[in-house]
Each structure stands twice: as C-alpha cells, then as structure tokens.
Amino acid sequence: MANLYSKYGYTPDKEAIGRSLEIIAGSLEKVISEDVLKQCFSLMDLTTLLATDTPASVRKMVEKVNSLRKDYPNYPLPASVCVYPNFAPVVAETRCTPELHVTTVAGCFPASQSFPEVKLKEIEMAVRAGADEIDIVLALNSFLEGDYKTAGEEIFASRKLIDDLSAELGRKIVLKVILETGLLVTHELIADASFLAMENGADFIKTSTGKVEVNATPVAAYVMCECIKAYYDKTGRKVGFKAAGGVSSSMDAVCYYSIVSSILGPQWLNKDLFRFGVSRLANKLMSSIEQKTITIF
C-alpha cells in the first residue's frame, strides 16, 4: 500500500521533530500560567471508562462537574464527560447545561474487534441515547494488514451514519477517531493513520484509548498535529486533535498545549479543535492553580 502522507506533501522528519520537542520541553516553565491551566481545564473530556462504572458513580462525577459553577465560579466547565455508551442518558439527564457535552466511546471500544454492523449499531444507540460526541477506534485489524481501504470504509460508514442521525435529530454530532498510536510503531504509520481518518470524515484525531501499554506521547502528538496542518493546507478543512491516555499532570497538559500552539497556532486552542481525554488531570490542574491539593474528582 502506497503511503498516504506523501499525497499531502508531508514526510515525518524524526530529527526535526526531536529538536522541536526539546525546545518545547525547555520552554514549558515560561508557558505555564493560571490562564493556560484554566484553558486546559476547559478542553478536558473528563473520562471514566472503568469496568466498575455504575449509573450512581457516573451521576456522582457529573454532579461534581455541576458543582464547579457554585464552588469555583471563576473556572470554566470541562468540554464534556466521556463514558461508555450505556451511560449517555445518565450524563445527559444529570449535567447542568448542554454546554457540557455527552461524549461516549463506541464502535466496540477499545479494540474495535467486531462486525462493522455491530459497531455502527452501537454508535446509533449511543447517539439516540444522548451522545453529542462519539469516539471510535481505527480498525487496526485492517490497518495493520495494510488494508487501508477497509479501515477507511469503516470510518466513512460511521461518518455517514452520524450525519444521517444529526439530520434526523436536529443536532450536530462530533466524530473522533482514536488511532491507538502506541501500537503504530513508526512515525510513518501514525501519519498514514492520521490522514486516513481525516480523509474519511473524522472531526478529531485522537492518540489513544488509554487501554494499551503505550498511550499518548509528545512524538505521536507532534506527528498528528503536523498531519492536521498539512491536511488543512491542502483541503481547507480544520480537524481537531485530542491527546488521551496518560495525560495526568499539569506539565503534561502544558506540553500538549505547546505542541498544538507551535504547529497549528492559536486558532486551534479551543474546545472545538483541541481536547484532552483525562481522568486524573482535573485535580492536578486545579491543584496547580490553587497552589494546594485539590481532590474533587
């Protein structure tokens, strides 16, 4: 299979990426500020994807988000709460405002190992249950075989279904595609996966499920953001970036914030184009801002 990235005039340059990341790492102390930390807070898809999740535990987490408006009125709300698809109604019914989106994983997360018809049915059920945003996983069973056509067709089918549901229900649904970059062993594979997802309708490309040994890394994020820029330069369509899996400290967040800022610029530094998929980060950001230990979430 011929590579996709050359179609966009892009080739991953390992040495240049390494140098750029060294510069970014050396400048994080200059970037970090209360305003940046609060902006990172507003970009969170606050996530719980545990085998032990229950309606009560999900409701409790959403109620903690709701309480921010009273207890921390100078903080933004997170962008969304991300849960398994069966909990979409719980989040939708409990949230204090539709501004707090309902995100669900779907399409047989995290392995994407099932029949395409099953994946699509789960997406449909999640949307009908109240999901505003759907995070699916690239079909690595096809992609790693070099069968980009089949892997792309699954994304395209998900996009078409979501568009049809959006028209029927009268609300926009966002599609994020998880590349599982920790299982893509070269810069080139990450680039091909990025372009494949974007070509087939992804609104966001996302690093990881958080369910494998290697999740988000600055290198993967850098390659993905360079691909987003190359795709935008060629097509004029803006695609978002989501860092997920292991983003657990304030400095982690500021690192990814700096990568997005340096490659894509300030127009990408908003929740429409940049997200964090996190479970522990909220407490860390709040602790950094308040200069004391915060353990709300």
Side-chain angles (χ1 to χ4, degrees), residues 93-104:
E93 293 161 7
T94 309
R95 61 182 171 173
C96 61
T97 171
E99 293 174 27
L100 179 68
H101 279 190
V102 180
T103 297
T104 78

Side-chain angles (χ1 to χ4, degrees), residues 64 67 70 91 101 149 201 260 265:
K64 288 178 178 180
S67 72
K70 176 173 67 74
V91 180
H101 279 190
K149 181 176 183 291
V260 172

Side-chain angles (χ1 to χ4, degrees), residues 144 181-187 189-190:
L144 293 178
T181 53
L183 302 181
L184 305 180
V185 294
T186 67
H187 293 51
L189 276 176
I190 294 171

Side-chain angles (χ1 to χ4, degrees), residues 13-213:
D13 185 331
K14 295 180 184 179
E15 291 186 5
I17 290 168
R19 289 193 299 270
S20 296
L21 287 173
E22 285 181 10
I23 293 169
I24 288 170
S27 65
L28 294 182
E29 292 290 349
K30 297 177 183 177
V31 174
I32 194 169
S33 68
E34 180 176 323
D35 285 346
V36 167
L37 293 172
K38 284 184 176 177
Q39 191 170 8
C40 289
F41 194 89
S42 75
L43 304 173
M44 294 188 304
D45 290 345
L46 191 62
T47 301
T48 181
L49 295 170
L50 302 173
T52 53
D53 287 340
T54 65
S57 68
V58 171
R59 189 174 299 110
K60 184 177 180 180
M61 187 174 79
V62 180
E63 287 170 347
K64 288 178 178 180
V65 176
N66 292 344
S67 72
L68 290 171
R69 288 204 154 169
K70 176 173 67 74
D71 298 335
Y72 293 88
N74 60 334
Y75 276 68
L77 288 176
S80 80
V81 171
C82 178
V83 293
Y84 282 113
N86 48 305
F87 294 117
V90 177
V91 180
E93 293 161 7
T94 309
R95 61 182 171 173
C96 61
T97 171
E99 293 174 27
L100 179 68
H101 279 190
V102 180
T103 297
T104 78
V105 295
C108 300
F109 174 96
S112 192
Q113 295 283 19
S114 190
F115 302 101
E117 296 86 353
V118 174
K119 299 180 189 182
L120 291 174
K121 188 62 178 178
E122 188 178 50
I123 292 169
E124 179 184 0
M125 292 176 73
V127 171
R128 292 194 183 281
D132 302 300
E133 306 186 10
I134 297 290
D135 289 23
I136 65 170
V137 183
L138 172 67
L140 293 179
N141 50 17
S142 300
F143 183 82
L144 293 178
E145 285 270 287
D147 185 0
Y148 290 8
K149 181 176 183 291
T150 298
E153 284 173 348
E154 283 201 18
I155 298 170
F156 185 82
S158 300
R159 172 81 270 166
K160 184 179 185 307
L161 172 63
I162 284 172
D163 288 344
D164 290 345
L165 290 167
S166 295
E168 177 188 338
L169 300 172
R171 56 189 177 90
K172 181 182 177 183
I173 311 298
V174 172
L175 175 64
K176 308 191 199 89
V177 178
I178 305 166
L179 308 184
E180 203 67 287
T181 53
L183 302 181
L184 305 180
V185 294
T186 67
H187 293 51
E188 290 78 10
L189 276 176
I190 294 171
D192 269 357
S194 298
F195 287 117
L196 185 71
M198 291 188 287
E199 283 188 347
N200 284 284
D203 294 310
F204 278 76
I205 52 174
K206 173 179 170 182
T207 54
S208 317
T209 62
K211 304 296 186 182
V212 296
E213 187 173 343

